[in-house]
Amino acid sequence: MASGVDRISALPDDVLHQVLHFLPSQEMVRTCVLARRWLGVWRFMPAFRFNGAKGWGSADRFAQFVDHLLHFRFGGDGGRCAPLDSCDFDFDSDGFMRLPANEQHASNWIWKVVPNVRMLRLRVVEFGQEPSPLSDLHLVSQHLTKLELVGVGVKDSVVDFSGCPALVELSMDVCDVFVKQLLSPSLKHLRITRCYTSEYTRILISVPSLVSLELIECRQGRVPLLESLPRLARAVVVLTDDCSDRCSKGRFDNCGADICEDCWWYYGDPEYGPIYDRNNSIFLKGLSEATDLELSSDSELILFDRDLKWCPTFTKLKTLLLNDRCLAADHNALICFLQHSPILEKLTLQLFKGPSYVTETEGMYKPLGLSVASNYLKTVEIRCANVDSKVHRLLKILTTYGIRLEQIRVQQTSKISAPGCFHFVCSSFS
């Protein structure tokens, strides 16, 4: 201002902290030279953000800065101070994590910060590099509520978050998750996306307080074994061609041959983990408490068809989405879900463009008559690129099992032809 009045410095600390929140931590500290008013503002910042060594001249200078700042904020032994609201370590594409010494620095910083932060984000992805390992995830914190890991290698046999009783949200993206168990009594939201897991064993996930689960495009490994999830409200599962739960001979229902490695590993091996009950559901049972469920796959998997034989009852399920790769074995999966979801209100079927992927292999599930269990079903939505023979076949199956045509809506999504929505009002078709 022409008057020379410093109006920004007159703002309360809370507002200034919001302004400083947008700066990397080194820039935040440098504000102390602006004026006497700013000398101590940064010291009580509720959030830190470290963007790596780029621009520091050397990784050692950056590491010294982080060491000094964390020591000042928390003291030599962690200290007794107000916890941070958030702390971000973003080492994406700056090369900092290539050296083992710097990995050790990062591990030490995590241990320093974890007991004193509510939300921690660690991103160490570097294009063309393997995820950087985190030496130990047996974290202990009374304050940590959210943990986000991107590009981190987690390779402990057991990842136990029991020492973090306030942790409610865990997100892992592009991580190596080669563990046998993941445990947390408090976790409510779990998101695992684009992660690599072991093809020889399943991860046992024990999170009894879980409310939402997302397993999206996990690669190479097998679908995890889910323990009881009594509070589960929403689950989204998207499996890719890399999933190991498929028969190498192209069979959808498990060929049973000892020489077929994928089928042989289906129930596990005692050398790598527990053997799973051949007379029980492996995956669907853990999802049976969900009220909103989405299941999609890029390929035909042994998993779904095998689980259908011991399909649980989805007593709370109200909305269900399946894609056509989950409808193999003569649509037995679709029929199974309809007959085991007594209060289902909406069913969505997503069809891929191209030839039908429904195999002629007889499925493990045998339909229970021709009736549909749910009397609450209001809408069946079929999403497709074109209204073709696949859609016609679905209409025939749905009506055969008691669903009226007026309950069905076909949503055409093709970009070539004009999108359209079809509502049926007739009572029969040929």
Side-chain angles (χ1 to χ4, degrees):
M1 299 290 290
S3 62
V5 178
D6 183 1
R7 296 184 183 276
I8 294 181
S9 295
L11 294 172
D13 283 359
D14 289 346
V15 176
L16 295 181
H17 288 160
Q18 288 295 324
V19 175
L20 295 182
H21 178 74
F22 295 100
L23 297 177
S25 291
Q26 65 270 26
E27 300 293 340
M28 174 195 72
V29 173
R30 289 170 183 166
T31 60
C32 68
V33 303
L34 295 176
R36 184 179 297 275
R37 166 74 173 89
W38 290 81
L39 281 175
V41 173
W42 69 270
R43 301 186 183 193
F44 301 98
M45 272 291 295
F48 287 166
R49 184 157 62 94
F50 302 103
N51 287 347
K54 187 176 181 179
W56 278 85
S58 71
D60 288 340
R61 291 185 61 189
F62 169 70
Q64 289 174 7
F65 167 76
V66 179
D67 285 339
H68 291 324
L69 180 58
L70 296 183
H71 181 84
F72 181 86
R73 182 64 169 78
F74 302 124
D77 58 354
R80 293 185 178 181
C81 55
L84 293 172
D85 288 338
S86 66
C87 185
D88 288 7
F89 292 95
D90 192 342
F91 304 131
D92 186 18
S93 300
D94 70 351
F96 179 76
M97 297 294 285
R98 292 180 182 177
L99 298 177
N102 291 339
E103 288 183 0
Q104 186 60 49
H105 278 304
S107 183
N108 292 338
W109 298 335
I110 298 301
W111 277 101
K112 176 79 77 171
V113 168
V114 161
N116 301 284
V117 69
R118 295 186 176 92
M119 183 176 71
L120 175 63
R121 178 176 180 266
L122 176 60
R123 179 181 174 88
V124 292
V125 172
E126 185 172 355
F127 181 76
Q129 298 291 322
E130 292 185 358
S132 296
L134 195 62
S135 59
D136 196 343
L137 269 186
H138 294 272
L139 307 179
V140 177
S141 173
Q142 299 300 313
H143 304 291
L144 187 65
T145 61
K146 180 178 179 180
L147 177 61
E148 181 178 341
L149 304 175
V150 181
V152 175
V154 183
K155 300 183 180 181
D156 295 317
S157 178
V158 178
V159 176
D160 188 354
F161 291 104
S162 299
C164 301
L167 184 66
V168 295
E169 186 171 348
L170 172 63
S171 174
M172 292 187 285
D173 184 33
V174 199
C175 293
D176 281 350
V177 190
F178 291 99
V179 303
K180 294 182 179 179
Q181 295 185 54
L182 192 155
L183 313 173
S184 172
S186 61
L187 200 65
K188 294 183 178 181
H189 307 282
L190 175 61
R191 177 180 172 85
I192 303 176
T193 59
R194 301 184 296 169
C195 292
Y196 288 87
T197 59
S198 173
E199 60 183 311
Y200 300 116
T201 186
R202 301 185 190 279
I203 302 174
L204 174 64
I205 297 181
S206 179
V207 282
S209 300
L210 202 68
V211 175
S212 68
L213 170 67
E214 294 184 40
L215 298 173
I216 300 177
E217 296 184 3
C218 291
R219 300 162 181 174
Q220 274 191 343
R222 298 186 179 273
V223 173
L225 179 65
L226 303 175
E227 287 199 341
S228 177
L229 303 175
R231 301 181 185 179
L232 186 65
R234 182 172 185 266
V236 179
V237 180
V238 180
L239 303 177
T240 68
D241 288 331
D242 294 330
C243 181
S244 298
D245 284 316
R246 55 188 302 189
C247 176
S248 60
K249 293 188 175 183
R251 288 285 297 274
F252 185 75
D253 58 342
N254 190 331
C255 66
D258 291 337
I259 60 174
C260 180
E261 182 176 351
D262 291 325
C263 292
W264 187 75
W265 279 108
Y266 183 77
Y267 291 102
D269 182 271
E271 183 178 350
Y272 294 92
I275 295 293
Y276 311 114
D277 187 357
R278 290 178 175 266
N279 298 315
N280 204 345
S281 168
I282 287 180
F283 185 61
L284 292 180
K285 185 177 180 179
L287 302 173
S288 62
E289 301 289 344
T291 57
D292 182 7
L293 177 60
E294 297 183 17
L295 292 176
S296 300
S297 173
D298 287 346
S299 63
E300 296 172 351
L301 303 177
I302 303 169
L303 179 79
F304 289 129
D305 196 51
R306 298 287 296 191
D307 266 18
L308 294 181
K309 186 175 181 179
W310 300 278
C311 184
T313 299
F314 293 80
T315 57
K316 304 175 185 177
L317 190 62
K318 292 185 177 182
T319 61
L320 171 65
L321 182 147
L322 298 172
N323 75 346
D324 57 354
R325 297 293 185 93
C326 297
L327 302 180
D330 202 22
H331 289 100
N332 278 352
L334 171 60
I335 300 168
C336 179
F337 275 107
L338 288 173
Q339 296 186 333
H340 288 79
S341 306
I343 64 170
L344 186 67
E345 296 178 0
K346 181 179 180 181
L347 170 65
T348 301
L349 303 174
Q350 180 77 55
L351 306 184
F352 288 106
K353 185 177 180 180
S356 175
Y357 294 103
V358 178
T359 69
E360 299 299 328
T361 304
E362 183 180 0
M364 301 292 291
Y365 175 72
K366 305 301 179 184
L368 306 173
L370 296 179
S371 63
V372 175
S374 176
N375 294 319
Y376 299 87
L377 190 63
K378 300 175 182 178
T379 305
V380 177
E381 182 177 300
I382 301 175
R383 299 174 185 173
C384 58
N386 297 294
V387 180
D388 53 17
S389 60
K390 290 191 295 183
V391 176
H392 186 276
R393 185 175 183 182
L394 272 178
L395 292 175
K396 183 177 180 180
I397 290 174
L398 291 171
T399 54
T400 298
Y401 283 87
I403 297 175
R404 303 184 307 277
L405 280 174
E406 54 265 31
Q407 294 176 275
I408 302 173
R409 180 176 63 184
V410 178
Q411 180 72 48
Q412 186 174 345
T413 59
S414 175
K415 296 181 180 179
I416 299 177
S417 57
C421 186
F422 301 87
H423 297 268
F424 293 88
V425 295
C426 60
S427 58
S428 64
F429 69 97
S430 61

